[in-house]
Amino acid sequence: MLEKIKTAFKESWVYWLIIAVLYYLLPLIMRDVVSAMLVLWFALPLACLVCSLHHGVKRGFRWYFFIVVALLFVPAIYLYFNSSAWFYTLLYAGVTLLGSFIGGVVCRPKKRR
């Protein structure tokens, strides 16, 4: 069991790091309502989608990937936003789940004969 967790972390940590860096650096460029909406509704979901698609293609669908991506956003709610930003946790989790699923379907391993 512990070996599976280590393997899962080794294959996903780079993607989680990229997403976490974007979660905590992109809000720093928000100066007004327009830039905030661009970050929250375009840049961060796009980053989640691209990272999850790439992860899904490279590693296949992993059920835990979207959960970690959602949990990574929780501290950002308290650092940059207010309680109304909890919705974005669900949004980013959904986008990540979709991207990971699509990437996993595209990458579906072929059975050897």
Side-chain angles (χ1 to χ4, degrees):
M1 180 70 170
L2 188 59
E3 194 61 39
K4 286 184 179 183
I5 294 172
K6 285 181 183 179
T7 303
F9 183 78
K10 285 180 183 177
E11 69 184 21
S12 301
W13 74 270
V14 173
Y15 300 99
W16 291 330
L17 179 66
I18 292 168
I19 291 172
V21 166
L22 292 174
Y23 278 169
Y24 298 107
L25 290 183
L26 282 180
L28 295 175
I29 66 169
M30 297 186 313
R31 298 289 177 227
D32 57 359
V33 175
V34 174
S35 63
M37 291 299 108
L38 283 174
V39 167
L40 291 172
W41 285 97
F42 181 72
L44 291 177
L46 183 64
C48 290
L49 182 66
V50 169
C51 284
S52 62
L53 276 171
H54 192 267
H55 181 269
V57 167
K58 292 289 186 184
R59 309 287 183 211
F61 178 76
R62 302 286 190 259
W63 64 269
Y64 53 81
F65 188 78
F66 80 98
I67 296 171
V68 175
V69 169
L71 291 176
L72 285 171
F73 186 70
V74 171
I77 294 171
Y78 296 106
L79 287 172
Y80 300 112
F81 310 109
N82 56 29
S83 62
S84 67
W86 279 100
F87 164 76
Y88 296 105
T89 304
L90 299 175
L91 174 71
Y92 302 151
V95 168
T96 303
L97 180 63
L98 179 68
S100 189
F101 179 75
I102 291 171
V105 168
V106 168
C107 174
R108 187 161 294 180
K110 308 220 183 336
K111 293 182 181 178
R112 295 185 183 185
R113 293 181 184 206

